[in-house]
Amino acid sequence: MTTTSTKSVNKKRQVSEIEQATVRFAGDSGDGMQLVGDQFTHSSVLFGNDVATLPDYPAEIRAPAGSLGGVSGFQINFAGKEIHTPGDKVNALFAMNPAALKVNIADLDAGGLLVVNKDAFTAENLKKANYDSNPLEDGSLKNYKVIQIPLSTLNQEAVEGLGLDKKSAERCKNFFVLGLAYWIYDRPIEQTLNWLKKKFAKMPEIAEANERSMRAGYHFGETTELIANTYQVHKANPAAGTYRKVTGNEATSLGLITASKISNKPLFYGSYPITPASEILQDLSAKKNFGVTTFQAEDEIAAICAAIGASYGGALAATGTSGPGMALKTEGIGLAVMTELPLVVVNVQRGGPSTGLPTKTEQADLFQALLGRNGECPVPVLAACTPSDCFYMAIEASRIAMKFMTPVILLTDGYLANGAEPLRIPDIDDLPKIDVDYFTDSSAAPFKPYTRNERLARPWALPGTPELMHRVGGLEKEHITGNVSYDPANHDYMIRLRQEKVNGIVEDIPLAQVNGDEEGDLLVVGWGGTYGSIMTAVEKLRQKGKSISSLHIKYLNPFPKNLGAILKRYKKVAAAELNLGQLQFVLRSKFLVDVKSVNKVQGKPFRADELCDAFLEILETI
Amino acid sequence: MTVDSQTTPLSPKDYASDQHVRWCPGCGDYSILAQMKKALAELQIPKEKCVFISGIGCSSRFPYYLDTYGIHGIHGRAAAIATGLKMARPDLSVWVITGDGDGLSIGGNHFIHTIRRNVDLNIVLFNNRIYGLTKGQVSPTSEFGKKTKSTPWGSVDNPVRPISAALGAEATFVARTIDTHVKHLANILVQAAQHKGVSFVEVYQNCNIFNDGAYLYATDRQQKFDNVLELEHGKPMIFGKNGEKGIRFKDFHLEVVTIGENGVTENDLLVHDETRKDPSLAFLLGNLSYPEFPEPIGVFRSVSKPSYEELVANQIQQAREKIGKNELKDLLYTGDTWVVE
């Protein structure tokens, strides 16, 4: 939090103008913290801030109330300038109970604002959070500006007379917190008021109760003298245009429909519910008016197989999942490689292995995407780097799939999927073109389904087209005719041909871009959702005069043409990633460069400050 | 399609591809292929409108031998691939060719779900009660106690009954036929194709290499009359060389009775009604098995229900009409937006 100016409103209260602030809401998984975070984000983007968010919730839907395992948090970084991460240290923490305090206090900045629900600090809750003494009384919080609010009591008073039972009334208390946060950060409450009216149109008493709670929270801030300082974060000044808020999963589904529209191919999405990818299925299912066909299959395998069937029938076919589901789809991806049918496979990565950490983020599926199939089975792999970039990379994955008649893996991750940021809505004319036509020429009978164009893509001939009857399948295909062939020389040829086709995509993708100097001491290479943290850390070190640049790889197979040459222009290269060094391994083997690894696997994104430390350590060895 | 082929009706051989058929000589699959071509010709389905989708196994080579569209898929997944294709392209006649191992073991999950959704597919399951392509292991329809290469001490698995499994998932069309019973086979395939919604056909198919004679009781001239009950809609369930035996429903069980004995007349026998909504009686018929009972062939069940791909397409149509706003611009500007000057 950077204070730019401060003025006194009255003797006791000051309003500080700040450039940026990071706030975290934390409570039980049933406390509605995600909702509060979402509303705060929405109001902030509509107000004109740049935002980046980090929802962090447990895998259990309702873990035991008050337990450490059940704590759900939502962090938002909002600013009057461009930002790339949800922030490292938190300037204000709203903790609904002792467990939420315990789990989150380490991330609160020294001197930061700590708002707690005093009513929840009962002996029982303290015990559940493993507190030996009450932190509100034992002096352990003396480094923070602690504001204790009898939240439950005040909230009950606010909704009194509406005839709500105690439980329903208690459920509104997250809106009290939201109202208070709006007041502290000088946000307009209108957006949430409108949302409540719409959301609870059929339950006006619930809408009224939540509104009263929020207003009570807002007025509590105004009237109490507990809070000595409020803040104003001015509008950011981004490029002109119309904006909307997107999460990564929303952006992915938007991108898929957009690709369907600009390629004039109907979208088919087959999927099986899995955290954190389910929202793509839900979102697409709600958009049938755009001609989208969604299929919630009986399992991950059926989901990809149905997509392959739809692709054979002429659809832009996609399937989405996360790591364990990816493992099940492996054989299906192989079939799509062999039949050379277009298919987009989205992997919203989560913590692994096995079931791992379903709700936490990780980047440990790179090897799986690049190599995880039987046989020589090349698949193009792309990775989105921000929530809004998921929109563009979903279009790219679709474009490459159809243009080259191949499955394409698009990697996103839990952090991107759930994180929100503004998306500048593009001009439709500026979107990439996808001009792929079905093959319909019946005159060249007998049809040869494994002939190829200049990109080595085979023709996409649809059932229903006279004279083009042909069979595809998983058995090795004879070059040109597509008949089954066990011929050794043909197999060797086809293996190399499929590889060459995927390698050739390099001519169709943008060159890698360096952020910073074109040569120097250290180049940090990243991929996927770590973009914001790496960017922020590198910018910070560059401002301190360090010779450091960064490069973010969005095309992981094939790599951009200029990547190898760029790596060789720096004294040291480091790959920063949320795994044990998978990109590092690939870069080393591919380019024979001694790439260092900066990594962690805690189910959390990198913090910019920890990256700064790691990069400095490498810089010191030069 | 050439002008000629539009005016000249297609004959069975027009549906043959140029590929050399590679099943073992004497395999029951040849007969099914021949009758399929006959059925397609009878229905005059344009070749380009047919898609045959298979999994893995001997039966799954089927699509290569037809001059139609086709996918030789991966093990057990033909029904899933076919579901996606039919949803994307309801205009096509989509067939699933599978076997007992492919369809009921590795593909058992898709079997149940494809059937309960009532996707308008024709599923033909070649049941030879053995793994042929992998050279003779026990299959999910092998008899209890069956000795195979993988069960040298005899199988301790209870077999799955394909008809009962399909009825359990409430298939809207369920039939059984036999590879050597060629006219019956062709006729059942025609009926399956004509049924709107999912059609499930079990074909007793002899694997003369690894399980020869598995259905001798049902195909041998001397034995078949006592061991096969031909179901015909609206007719009493009669079997036996001279039509002397029948099936009676008593105390929630089916029993074999002899007409003329113990006062039993034809009027006491069950009359087959394939359109019965409740599948329970069809399920009892599906459970009849040799040697205690004759095994029914023919149509067990044929009822009408909306098909899956139709329901899916209707929802999309309704959404288009109700919500409208289906241009790309509408999509991108959905929800709250704000303008930065």
Side-chain angles (χ1 to χ4, degrees):
Chain A
M1 182 167 73
T2 338
T3 305
T4 48
S5 79
T6 299
K7 60 185 176 201
S8 291
V9 178
N10 54 38
K11 261 188 235 162
K12 284 182 180 148
R13 185 169 299 142
Q14 294 183 324
V15 178
S16 305
E17 289 186 22
I18 54 177
E19 234 186 355
Q20 165 270 333
T22 304
V23 174
R24 189 183 294 174
F25 302 97
D28 258 336
S29 50
D31 274 344
M33 292 296 101
Q34 302 301 321
L35 178 60
V36 166
D38 202 50
Q39 284 299 313
F40 195 90
T41 304
H42 216 78
S43 296
S44 296
V45 290
L46 289 181
F47 176 73
N49 294 137
D50 194 8
V51 304
T53 71
L54 176 63
D56 184 20
Y57 52 91
E60 293 75 20
I61 302 301
R62 293 278 188 278
S67 70
L68 292 167
V71 174
S72 169
F74 190 106
Q75 182 170 321
I76 167 173
N77 188 5
F78 53 108
K81 59 173 182 176
E82 197 181 342
I83 48 169
H84 304 291
T85 76
D88 291 351
K89 284 285 180 182
V90 175
N91 307 124
L93 172 65
F94 294 80
M96 304 291 275
N97 63 16
L101 176 67
K102 183 137 202 182
V103 169
N104 292 287
I105 190 70
D107 295 331
L108 182 60
D109 224 354
L113 179 68
L114 172 64
V115 179
V116 295
N117 175 15
K118 193 165 75 176
D119 291 339
F121 280 68
T122 60
E124 193 194 350
N125 281 344
L126 288 165
K127 202 176 150 204
K128 280 188 199 163
N130 295 336
Y131 274 117
D132 294 331
S133 60
N134 188 343
L136 302 182
E137 292 161 3
D138 65 10
S140 59
L141 300 173
K142 63 177 185 308
N143 289 336
Y144 310 105
K145 281 180 245 165
V146 184
I147 297 166
Q148 304 182 31
I149 304 175
L151 189 57
S152 304
T153 315
L154 292 175
N155 178 64
Q156 289 286 354
E157 285 167 10
V159 300
E160 214 169 57
L162 285 174
L164 263 58
D165 59 77
K166 204 167 173 201
K167 209 172 151 196
S168 305
E170 177 74 4
R171 241 185 240 152
C172 300
K173 70 176 187 295
N174 56 336
F175 277 86
F176 191 100
V177 172
L178 180 63
L180 180 59
Y182 278 157
W183 181 78
I184 294 174
Y185 288 101
D186 195 22
R187 322 260 88 184
I189 63 169
E190 282 68 27
Q191 184 278 129
T192 300
L193 289 177
N194 290 337
W195 179 86
L196 277 171
K197 278 201 186 88
K198 231 183 192 170
K199 174 85 182 168
F200 297 109
K202 286 182 182 150
M203 290 180 280
E205 71 284 359
I206 300 290
E208 166 83 17
N210 283 319
E211 179 178 341
R212 280 205 206 171
S213 291
M214 180 166 70
R215 287 189 189 279
Y218 197 92
H219 294 137
F220 177 81
E222 226 163 29
T223 48
T224 184
E225 295 185 349
L226 287 169
I227 300 168
N229 207 339
T230 65
Y231 306 92
Q232 285 180 338
V233 179
H234 289 289
K235 292 179 182 193
N237 194 17
T242 306
Y243 285 76
R244 60 179 287 180
K245 187 194 74 166
V246 288
T247 64
N249 276 347
E250 277 167 6
T252 302
S253 65
L254 272 183
L256 289 173
I257 303 177
T258 302
S260 150
K261 289 279 177 194
I262 58 186
S263 65
N264 203 20
K265 307 280 181 290
L267 178 62
F268 180 95
Y269 186 77
S271 191
Y272 183 79
I274 185 169
T275 304
S278 307
E279 291 83 8
I280 303 174
L281 171 64
Q282 291 163 201
D283 202 38
L284 289 173
S285 300
K287 295 198 163 66
K288 291 192 198 303
N289 53 314
F290 296 100
V292 181
T293 302
T294 55
F295 176 52
Q296 181 175 328
E298 58 270 28
D299 59 29
E300 297 279 0
I301 298 171
I304 187 170
C305 285
I308 290 170
S311 173
Y312 187 63
L316 162 57
T319 183
T321 187
S322 189
M326 238 1 226
L328 288 166
K329 291 186 198 295
T330 301
E331 193 188 8
I333 298 172
L335 180 66
V337 166
M338 203 64 155
T339 53
E340 302 191 41
L341 286 167
L343 176 70
V344 175
V345 182
V346 183
N347 177 359
V348 186
Q349 297 168 97
R350 68 189 214 187
S354 188
T355 310
L357 303 172
T359 59
K360 310 294 177 191
T361 198
E362 207 161 282
Q363 296 184 296
D365 296 350
L366 180 60
F367 282 164
Q368 184 192 37
L370 292 171
L371 307 167
R373 287 166 295 281
N374 63 307
E376 293 289 350
C377 197
V379 174
V381 179
L382 315 184
C385 65
T386 64
S388 58
D389 189 46
C390 292
F391 171 73
Y392 291 101
M393 292 317 274
I395 298 174
E396 268 298 84
S398 308
R399 182 184 73 83
I400 291 171
M402 289 189 278
K403 212 169 154 187
F404 290 84
M405 294 293 283
T406 178
V408 174
I409 294 173
L410 171 61
L411 297 173
T412 71
D413 61 46
Y415 163 65
L416 295 179
N418 294 317
E421 68 175 7
L423 165 73
R424 189 181 157 275
I425 299 173
D427 277 343
I428 289 167
D429 295 337
D430 294 341
L431 291 169
K433 302 280 172 283
I434 306 179
D435 298 317
V436 175
D437 293 326
Y438 304 126
F439 184 82
T440 54
D441 181 4
S442 301
S443 64
F447 175 54
K448 299 187 175 63
Y450 277 68
T451 49
R452 288 168 200 279
N453 64 13
E454 69 285 359
R455 293 186 297 272
L456 301 181
R458 72 172 193 86
W460 194 3
L462 309 191
T465 320
E467 300 303 325
L468 300 185
M469 287 78 72
H470 66 282
R471 278 67 56 194
V472 295
L475 284 171
E476 182 59 280
K477 299 281 163 284
E478 187 178 66
H479 181 45
I480 308 287
T481 67
N483 289 332
V484 174
S485 168
Y486 301 104
D487 178 59
N490 177 75
H491 179 54
D492 188 277
Y493 184 81
M494 291 301 284
I495 290 280
R496 290 168 202 279
L497 192 60
R498 286 186 288 264
Q499 185 65 53
E500 205 186 317
K501 177 176 86 168
V502 171
N503 292 349
I505 295 169
V506 76
E507 302 297 336
D508 210 53
I509 59 172
L511 294 175
Q513 303 275 347
V514 172
N515 161 49
D517 303 321
E518 289 294 326
E519 52 183 46
D521 288 350
L522 177 60
L523 177 73
V524 178
V525 185
W527 65 279
T530 53
Y531 171 79
S533 321
I534 294 175
M535 186 80 171
T536 306
V538 167
E539 284 302 315
K540 227 178 235 174
L541 292 179
R542 286 180 60 76
Q543 278 166 18
K544 287 183 184 163
K546 302 290 177 192
S547 171
I548 181 171
S549 305
S550 64
L551 186 157
H552 214 73
I553 305 178
K554 301 199 342 175
Y555 298 81
L556 290 148
N557 188 39
F559 282 131
K561 239 198 307 208
N562 58 341
L563 181 61
I566 293 174
L567 298 184
K568 292 181 173 118
R569 294 206 295 258
Y570 297 83
K571 288 181 190 157
K572 295 247 159 142
V573 178
E577 48 189 334
L578 301 171
N579 57 48
L580 291 184
Q582 298 190 6
L583 178 66
Q584 174 209 26
F585 184 97
V586 178
L587 293 177
R588 281 179 171 214
S589 76
K590 187 128 189 141
F591 301 111
L592 298 177
V593 170
D594 180 21
V595 180
K596 305 288 174 203
S597 181
V598 172
N599 61 62
K600 79 167 181 184
V601 268
Q602 300 175 352
K604 288 177 168 184
F606 280 125
R607 294 201 323 266
D609 61 354
E610 65 190 5
L611 284 180
C612 279
D613 293 346
F615 299 157
L616 276 174
E617 209 174 292
I618 297 172
L619 282 166
E620 276 162 19
T621 65
I622 296 171
Chain B
M1 206 185 291
T2 60
V3 179
D4 264 346
S5 66
Q6 277 174 345
T7 50
T8 318
L10 289 157
S11 74
K13 68 175 191 302
D14 289 327
Y15 289 91
S17 76
D18 59 353
Q19 296 296 293
H20 183 65
V21 184
R22 296 191 188 205
W23 288 310
C24 308
C27 176
D29 291 0
Y30 283 96
S31 167
I32 307 175
L33 179 61
Q35 298 318 310
M36 180 64 80
K37 286 186 259 184
K38 262 189 207 154
L40 295 175
E42 186 176 332
L43 295 160
Q44 286 294 302
I45 308 175
K47 295 198 283 180
E48 69 272 14
K49 286 284 187 188
C50 295
V51 187
F52 282 82
I53 299 180
S54 63
I56 295 294
C58 293
S59 58
S60 291
R61 300 298 175 95
F62 201 87
Y64 290 121
Y65 308 137
L66 289 169
D67 188 27
T68 63
Y69 285 87
I71 301 178
H72 181 207
I74 46 179
H75 206 8
R77 320 299 173 200
I81 297 171
T83 297
L85 176 62
K86 187 70 186 181
M87 287 173 76
R89 295 290 305 279
D91 58 308
L92 301 171
S93 169
V94 183
W95 296 74
V96 172
I97 304 295
T98 183
D100 39 320
D102 186 67
L104 295 168
S105 199
I106 191 167
N109 197 24
H110 312 306
F111 180 84
I112 297 167
H113 291 280
T114 304
I115 288 176
R116 58 115 177 160
R117 289 188 187 108
N118 198 35
V119 190
D120 185 19
L121 305 172
N122 311 311
I123 304 173
V124 185
L125 186 142
F126 299 14
N127 184 3
N128 60 12
R129 295 188 173 170
I130 197 78
Y131 277 74
L133 197 65
T134 49
K135 303 183 181 173
Q137 298 82 13
V138 72
S139 101
T141 55
S142 297
E143 314 85 275
F144 187 89
K146 174 99 177 168
K147 287 189 176 172
T148 70
K149 283 183 185 163
S150 59
T151 54
W153 293 76
S155 166
V156 290
D157 286 24
N158 293 305
V160 60
R161 295 184 171 105
I163 296 286
S164 307
L167 286 165
E170 300 194 28
T172 53
F173 180 95
V174 179
R176 179 192 280 152
T177 182
I178 304 176
D179 56 1
T180 52
H181 207 337
V182 291
K183 278 193 184 145
H184 189 266
L185 169 55
N187 178 263
I188 290 289
L189 292 176
V190 168
Q191 288 190 59
Q194 286 168 335
H195 175 73
K196 179 88 184 139
V198 76
S199 308
F200 173 70
V201 178
E202 178 191 17
V203 185
Y204 282 177
Q205 175 246 322
N206 190 43
C207 171
N208 57 326
I209 305 295
F210 295 106
N211 201 17
D212 196 24
Y215 297 110
L216 202 64
Y217 65 90
T219 54
D220 178 67
R221 278 170 196 279
Q222 298 303 318
Q223 306 177 54
K224 65 180 181 186
F225 297 105
D226 287 331
N227 296 329
V228 173
L229 165 70
E230 197 163 326
L231 298 173
E232 286 179 86
H233 181 63
K235 299 214 173 135
M237 295 182 195
I238 293 176
F239 67 106
K241 194 151 193 177
N242 304 307
E244 74 282 12
K245 290 190 267 190
I247 299 291
R248 184 166 72 174
F249 180 75
K250 198 180 174 197
D251 300 334
F252 291 94
H253 286 94
L254 298 182
E255 60 177 11
V256 174
V257 292
T258 307
I259 300 164
E261 277 181 13
N262 302 321
V264 173
T265 69
E266 216 181 280
N267 289 336
D268 297 319
L269 303 183
L270 263 181
V271 174
H272 184 48
D273 179 4
E274 63 189 29
T275 64
R276 207 185 285 270
K277 277 234 151 54
D278 187 313
S280 307
L281 191 58
F283 186 83
L284 287 181
L285 288 167
N287 284 353
L288 296 183
S289 47
Y290 174 83
E292 292 82 14
F293 292 97
E295 296 188 345
I297 62 169
V299 179
F300 287 70
R301 185 174 201 233
S302 178
V303 297
S304 172
K305 243 192 207 176
S307 67
Y308 185 70
E309 74 286 350
E310 218 170 54
L311 295 169
V312 169
N314 287 348
Q315 280 195 345
I316 293 173
Q317 190 56 35
Q318 277 170 18
R320 279 177 184 279
E321 283 162 13
K322 269 194 179 164
I323 304 173
K325 293 187 187 168
N326 47 26
E327 296 304 317
L328 182 51
K329 202 161 181 218
D330 302 320
L331 171 76
L332 297 176
Y333 285 80
T334 312
D336 291 329
T337 59
W338 67 97
V339 177
V340 175
E341 302 290 345

